[in-house]
Amino acid sequence: MLYLALSILFSSLIFVIFKLFSVYKVQTHYAIIINYLVASSVGFGFYDDTISLDTLPQKKWFWGAFALGLLFIIVFNLMAKTSQQLGVSVASVATKMSLVIPVLFGVIVYQEHLGIVKIIGILLALIAVYFASIKKKTIVTKQSLLVLPAAVFIGSGAIDMSLSYFQKEVVASDELSLFSAFVFASAAFIGLLTILTQAFKKKIKIDTKNILGGIALGIPNYFSIYFLLRALQNNTLTNATIFTINNVSIVMCSTLLGILFFKEHISQKNWIGIAIAVISIVMVAL
């Protein structure tokens, strides 16, 4: 449970840092790429064994980790576009409700047993995510825009499902830090390629704020994934339990941090969502 609590803590810190980006006018796109460079550096630094570039491509998880890095970049951009077109609350709900995908994956592939109490807890978790995340009504003027939250939902769920699979089937326990680092390095590499492509069209200006923002984001970002992988090693908790507690707790903590640090207004629906979240966590954990 300690690893899961640490993953929730670092994931919630990411929320605070993103909020500070808007306060200090940090360019998110560039900070995100630097964040991936920092996160990969932290991971490589925590890896105890010697890293050989010759043997790295021979790892069973090499190409899968590279594909996961690509998925990280794609889903982030989809989340950004969803936030811009439909609102932050829609993007948040779509991201966190994706816990359904890894939960179903655990039940179907690993035959994880879900009792009636746990099923009710997961359903309550979905309700809690919706109520805790919703900020205002969003009017969708174009039906085609509904593709965006659907893509975020599938992409976020695919990331969690992939992390679960790699941890259980492919990555050795002593290589978790190396695997996490390579996923972030792949995302950074792809992000740098996009910047280089843009450099042919317009001059890119390096801003100190973007670098500092990327550094501040990269450290908790790495540990949020690393500790989630560690939590998935827990033999007493199922995937359904871990992902439900993780996602719902992040929504709950992010909401409370918004109140504490940014004086955000919390509606009656948000408080109802937080209350339901607590109940759902207790039901799933027990």
Side-chain angles (χ1 to χ4, degrees), residues 32-52:
I32 283 291
I33 294 170
I34 293 167
N35 134 82
Y36 285 137
L37 288 170
V38 171
S40 62
S41 299
V42 172
F44 287 130
F46 271 87
Y47 185 57
D48 295 329
D49 206 347
T50 305
I51 301 170
S52 173

Side-chain angles (χ1 to χ4, degrees), residues 176-187:
L176 280 180
S177 58
L178 180 61
F179 170 78
S180 305
F182 186 74
V183 170
F184 284 118
S186 300

Side-chain angles (χ1 to χ4, degrees), residues 191-257:
L192 287 171
L193 284 180
T194 62
I195 287 183
L196 290 173
T197 304
Q198 292 173 1
F200 289 107
K201 299 178 181 178
K202 62 179 181 180
K203 187 178 179 181
I204 295 174
K205 184 182 178 182
I206 299 175
D207 195 321
T208 307
K209 288 190 296 185
N210 298 336
I211 296 173
L212 293 175
I215 293 170
L217 182 63
I219 296 171
N221 198 7
Y222 168 78
F223 284 112
S224 68
I225 297 297
Y226 174 76
F227 284 123
L228 177 59
L229 288 169
R230 284 292 185 193
L232 288 168
Q233 290 182 318
N234 191 319
N235 294 323
T236 60
L237 298 176
T238 63
N239 280 13
T241 301
I242 290 169
F243 282 112
T244 302
I245 294 175
N246 186 65
N247 282 26
V248 176
S249 297
I250 290 169
V251 171
M252 188 169 63
C253 289
S254 298
T255 303
L256 294 174
L257 285 171

